[in-house]
């Protein structure tokens, strides 16, 4: 195939002082730090739906970025998009991609035709993967766009819709397995409600679990060895999404016996929509053994929706990479840029600048997170803060050997708690800054 983006060069690492906008300043893919290449620490992925499909349309206007790639029918466009994405992966030194079924191949007139189209395009993608060594971070099914899903997929009141969604997800998992995907994501799409006046919440939640169970078990049967992820989001498109946040999803998975086979895909912008920090969601997943993968983006403090901006906030990328390192790094997961350039940034150069900005912000975040760990002051402070659990009554509490009577006797004898020491938040914030700058 011809080169689609002759105006875009191979993006190289030129170091932090370069003024070349088509270069990395912090991301040096093959540089080894803390025992691993940067590319293996960060495991960047391009999101097919944003990078190859989204043209900038919003509720007030049509697309601004022509992504038709010179094709004049939708299947020809699908073929070209596949080739064009691999050109971008190569030029950006991104090793992974993620897709929804309907991103790679447009929906046909019936499920059978949609499936045939998926077969054709996934053959092309498989060939390109073989030629380039690029990998699939995860696949997923778009069960929210088509009007049939207007009341949800697994949570639709209409059993025919449940059946259709199950069949669509079955095929999406098959394609994921065919492409050697490391993961499969379930984002709730329209699994939620607009009003409880028309909603049987109990049945909807049970059915959502049934859909996860029947499709995930099928994946294992056909040899899917990767991770299943749920991607929490509190609202949008529905007023209340059932997969509200990490805590809600972990509770749901436990309640339905699904926790063994599911981890979480944490998206930065979804965390803030839920009223949490990105780091909170990552930490909550990690301490519950459910940390899996990340949708790397950011929201806007002044806007209450999923703006899906490319991440450029280095505080957030640093605290994110601290959590990733504490989790032992990514296994099957990675950093998927579920992000798009703004509507006014309407050229392929802008798409590339956006990826460079996100990759450099995370590369810098990784470097800073390693410096914070190496410095050791913050970790040492936290360890010391809890040191009362290392001996005496504290040790008995964490070992589970302290009885309630013993705790009462201890408290009566103590009189009053005399040793509550300062949490030193401002000191720690200053240490954090002093390491970064
Ligand atoms: C939407 C979600 C979606 C998932 C994949 O808000 O972020 O893009 O990542 O279905
Ligand atoms: Ni996402
Ligand atoms: Ni999102």
């Amino acid at each position: 195939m011809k080169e689609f983006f002759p105006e875009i060069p191979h993006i190289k690492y030129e170091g932090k002082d370069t003024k070349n906008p088509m270069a990395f300043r912090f991301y040096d893919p093959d540089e080894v730090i803390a025992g691993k290449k940067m590319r293996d620490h960060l495991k960047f992925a391009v999101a097919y739906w944003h990078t190859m499909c989204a043209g900038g349309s919003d509720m007030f206007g049509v697309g601004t970025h022509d992504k038709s790639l010179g094709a004049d029918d939708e299947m020809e466009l699908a073929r070209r998009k596949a080739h064009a994405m691999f050109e971008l992966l190569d030029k950006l030194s991104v090793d992974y991609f993620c897709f929804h079924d309907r991103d790679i191949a447009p929906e046909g007139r019936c499920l059978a035709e949609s499936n045939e189209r998926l077969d054709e395009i996934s053959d092309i993608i498989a060939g390109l993967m073989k030629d380039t060594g690029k990998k699939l971070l995860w696949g997923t099914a778009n069960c929210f766009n088509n009007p049939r899903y207007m009341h949800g997929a697994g949570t639709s009141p209409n059993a025919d819709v449940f059946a259709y969604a199950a069949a669509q997800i079955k095929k999406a998992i098959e394609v994921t397995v065919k492409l050697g995907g490391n993961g499969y994501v379930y984002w709730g799409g329209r699994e939620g409600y607009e009003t409880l006046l028309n909603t049987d919440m109990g049945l909807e939640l049970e059915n959502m679990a049934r859909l996860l169970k029947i499709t995930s078990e099928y994946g294992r049967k056909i040899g899917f060895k990767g991770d299943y992820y749920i991607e929490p989001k509190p609202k949008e498109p529905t007023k209340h999404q059932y997969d509200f946040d990490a805590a809600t999803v972990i509770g749901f998975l436990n309640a339905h016996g699904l926790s063994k086979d599911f981890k979480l895909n944490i998206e930065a912008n979804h965390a803030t929509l839920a009223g949490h920090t990105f780091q909170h969601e990552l930490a909550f997943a990690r301490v519950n053994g459910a940390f899996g993968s990340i949708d790397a983006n950011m929201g806007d403090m002044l806007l209450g929706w999923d703006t899906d901006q490319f991440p450029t906030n280095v505080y957030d990328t640093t605290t994110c990479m601290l959590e990733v390192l504490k989790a032992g790094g990514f296994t099957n997961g990675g950093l998927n840029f579920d992000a798009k350039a703004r509507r006014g940034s309407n050229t392929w150069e802008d798409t590339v600048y956006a990826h460079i900005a996100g990759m450099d912000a995370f590369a810098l975040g990784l470097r800073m997170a390693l410096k914070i760990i190496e410095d050791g002051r913050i970790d040492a402070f936290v360890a010391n803060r809890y040191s009362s659990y290392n001996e005496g009554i504290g040790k008995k509490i964490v070992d589970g050997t302290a009885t309630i009577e013993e705790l009462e006797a201890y408290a009566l004898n103590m009189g009053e708690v005399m040793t509550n020491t300062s949490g030193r938040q401002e000191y720690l914030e200053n240490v954090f800054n002093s390491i970064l700058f």
Side-chain angles (χ1 to χ4, degrees), residues 147-435:
R148 87 176 66 84
Y149 296 123
M150 67 187 219
H151 301 303
T155 64
S156 170
N158 182 346
D160 288 352
V161 176
F162 183 106
Y164 202 107
Q168 189 182 330
I169 294 169
K170 172 177 179 286
K171 182 68 181 177
I173 294 177
E174 288 165 5
V175 174
T176 299
V177 171
K178 166 175 162 184
L179 299 177
N182 293 336
Y184 184 85
V185 162
Y186 293 84
W187 167 58
R190 294 180 193 273
E191 312 292 33
Y193 63 82
E194 294 298 329
T195 172
L196 286 174
L197 288 173
N198 65 12
T199 301
D200 180 343
M201 189 195 275
L203 180 64
E204 291 201 1
L205 288 168
E206 291 297 329
N207 280 349
M208 200 166 84
R210 289 185 182 107
L211 185 64
L212 291 173
K213 194 162 184 311
I214 199 167
T215 52
S216 64
E217 283 175 355
Y218 173 75
R220 294 301 178 207
K221 218 164 62 198
I222 63 164
F224 176 62
K225 301 256 168 7
D227 285 331
Y228 288 118
Y229 309 113
I230 308 263
E231 183 178 319
K233 185 176 186 181
K235 54 188 160 194
E236 196 199 0
T238 71
K239 165 169 111 170
H240 183 106
Q241 302 272 123
Y242 289 129
D243 292 330
F244 197 91
D245 61 1
T248 309
V249 171
I250 288 169
F252 175 84
L253 291 171
N254 285 337
H256 293 90
L258 292 164
S259 52
K260 265 207 235 52
D261 216 17
F262 282 85
K263 293 180 177 163
L264 300 186
N265 181 40
I266 300 294
E267 178 165 322
N269 204 161
H270 297 182
T272 51
L273 282 181
H276 302 304
T277 62
F278 184 23
Q279 189 184 10
H280 167 91
E281 287 292 86
L282 293 166
F284 199 91
R286 173 173 65 79
V287 301
N288 283 283
F291 170 70
S293 201
I294 291 176
D295 270 7
N297 62 14
M298 68 178 186
D300 185 303
M301 203 170 65
L302 303 183
L303 301 176
W305 62 89
D306 200 11
T307 60
D308 285 344
Q309 281 160 253
F310 271 84
T312 53
N313 182 323
V314 176
Y315 279 97
D316 282 345
T317 60
T318 301
T319 50
C320 170
M321 290 315 295
L322 264 175
E323 290 299 327
V324 172
L325 292 167
K326 282 187 190 165
F330 290 116
T331 46
N332 283 322
L335 288 164
N336 167 47
F337 287 117
D338 193 350
K340 57 186 178 218
R342 297 302 84 193
R343 185 169 186 266
S345 304
N346 65 338
T347 69
W348 287 105
E349 284 98 324
D350 289 304
T351 304
V352 169
Y353 288 140
H355 283 84
I356 293 172
M359 293 167 78
D360 259 349
F362 266 96
L364 187 52
L366 169 66
R367 292 179 190 276
M368 292 303 144
L370 285 166
K371 273 173 92 172
I372 286 166
I373 291 171
E374 194 190 326
D375 175 273
R377 272 177 291 171
I378 294 176
D379 282 341
F381 182 90
V382 174
N384 186 52
R385 187 162 181 243
Y386 294 88
S387 58
S388 66
Y389 288 95
N390 296 342
E391 58 194 6
I393 194 71
K395 180 139 190 358
K396 285 188 169 176
I397 292 170
V398 295
D399 288 347
T401 57
T403 63
I404 183 70
E405 290 78 13
E406 192 179 357
L407 291 169
E408 184 192 36
Y410 185 91
L412 286 169
N413 182 45
M414 182 169 45
E416 188 44 83
V417 174
M418 300 307 288
T419 51
N420 253 340
T421 49
S422 168
R424 300 241 188 279
Q425 179 172 335
E426 299 75 11
Y427 156 78
L428 291 165
E429 286 165 348
N430 204 24
V431 167
F432 194 95
N433 276 349
S434 73
I435 298 169

Side-chain angles (χ1 to χ4, degrees), residues 15-83:
K16 76 175 175 41
D17 295 324
T18 186
K19 297 266 187 319
N20 176 5
M22 286 281 176
F24 294 121
R25 297 166 65 232
F26 302 102
Y27 182 55
D28 186 5
D30 292 315
E31 181 182 334
V32 175
I33 46 177
K36 264 205 265 191
K37 287 185 179 174
M38 287 190 94
R39 59 167 78 239
D40 299 323
H41 274 292
L42 295 162
K43 295 181 69 185
F44 290 127
V46 158
Y48 217 101
W49 54 103
H50 283 306
T51 298
M52 303 318 300
C53 305
S57 60
D58 66 15
M59 284 151 95
F60 302 94
V62 298
T64 54
H65 184 176
D66 179 3
K67 292 189 174 175
S68 61
L69 301 172
D72 38 29
D73 79 81
E74 54 175 9
M75 279 306 283
E76 183 52 23
L77 174 58
R79 292 178 204 111
R80 290 184 187 205
K81 272 198 290 197
H83 287 272

